[in-house]
Amino acid sequence: MELHNMKPTPGSRHSKKRIGRGDKTAGRGENGQKSRAGYSQKIGFEGGQNPLYRRLPKRGFTNINKVEYSIVNLDSIESLGLKEVTPEILIEKGLIKNNYGLLKILANGEVKSSVKISAHKFSKTAKEQIEKAGGTINIIEK
C-alpha cells in the first residue's frame, strides 16, 4: 500500500447531515416552540410542572465559622518512634495531607516514650497521657 492509494476503512467515514435543503422544517419536526431559532430549554424545566429542585425541601445550613481539624491518634505517633513530632514531620510520613488545616491529637492508643508534640489542639486525655509518659506538648497558635 502506497501513500497515494490509501483509503479509510469502509463504514468509518460518514457524510455530514445537511440541514435545511429542500424540506420545509429542516429536520426540526413540526411547528412549535422547539422548532424556532434560538430555542433552549432551561435546566430543570419540566414543562411547567413544579420542578424537582423546588418540590424538595431545603435542609440544614453551612456554618461559615466551622473549624476543620486533621486528626492524629497517639498510637500512630507512637508507631513513628520519634522524639519530636510536628505537622511538617507528619506530612512527610504521610499521616496528614499537605493542606491539613489544623491538627488535633486524640488519645486513641498509648504513648510509652517521652515525645515532644506540636499541634494546634489536644484532647484532654491525650494531654494527660503524653505528660504521664514524660513528654511535652506545644500548642501552635492558629
Side-chain angles (χ1 to χ4, degrees):
M1 178 177 287
E2 300 291 323
L3 202 61
H4 67 279
N5 62 4
M6 287 181 71
K7 289 182 180 154
T9 309
S12 68
R13 305 278 294 168
H14 300 279
S15 58
K16 189 177 168 188
K17 184 176 182 182
R18 296 174 74 219
I19 304 294
R21 301 295 192 279
D23 183 37
K24 69 180 180 68
T25 55
R28 289 179 179 263
E30 296 304 316
N31 289 347
Q33 184 181 16
K34 293 180 184 174
S35 68
R36 308 288 185 227
Y39 165 78
S40 65
Q41 197 175 53
K42 286 182 180 159
I43 295 171
F45 183 69
E46 297 183 20
Q49 169 180 300
N50 209 12
L52 182 68
Y53 68 88
R54 289 190 56 204
R55 290 194 305 256
L56 297 176
K58 293 197 275 189
R59 300 277 298 178
F61 75 105
T62 302
N63 185 356
I64 60 168
N65 298 317
K66 183 179 180 184
V67 179
E68 291 283 336
Y69 287 99
S70 292
I71 294 169
V72 176
N73 286 306
L74 289 178
D75 56 355
S76 46
I77 290 174
E78 182 66 28
S79 68
L80 293 176
L82 299 171
K83 293 291 177 196
E84 187 174 355
V85 176
T86 62
E88 291 76 27
I89 292 169
L90 294 176
I91 291 168
E92 192 178 294
K93 299 290 183 182
L95 285 174
I96 57 175
K97 292 183 178 173
N98 199 10
N99 56 347
Y100 64 95
L102 300 177
L103 177 63
K104 184 171 184 177
I105 306 297
L106 298 183
N108 190 5
E110 287 185 23
V111 177
K112 295 171 180 77
S113 59
S114 65
V115 183
K116 182 182 178 189
I117 301 175
S118 299
H120 296 94
K121 204 167 185 183
F122 294 84
S123 71
K124 191 166 81 172
T125 50
K127 219 182 257 190
E128 290 169 2
Q129 282 192 25
I130 294 165
E131 289 168 350
K132 184 179 160 188
T136 57
I137 61 165
N138 179 28
I139 297 172
I140 303 168
E141 294 299 320
K142 297 173 187 171

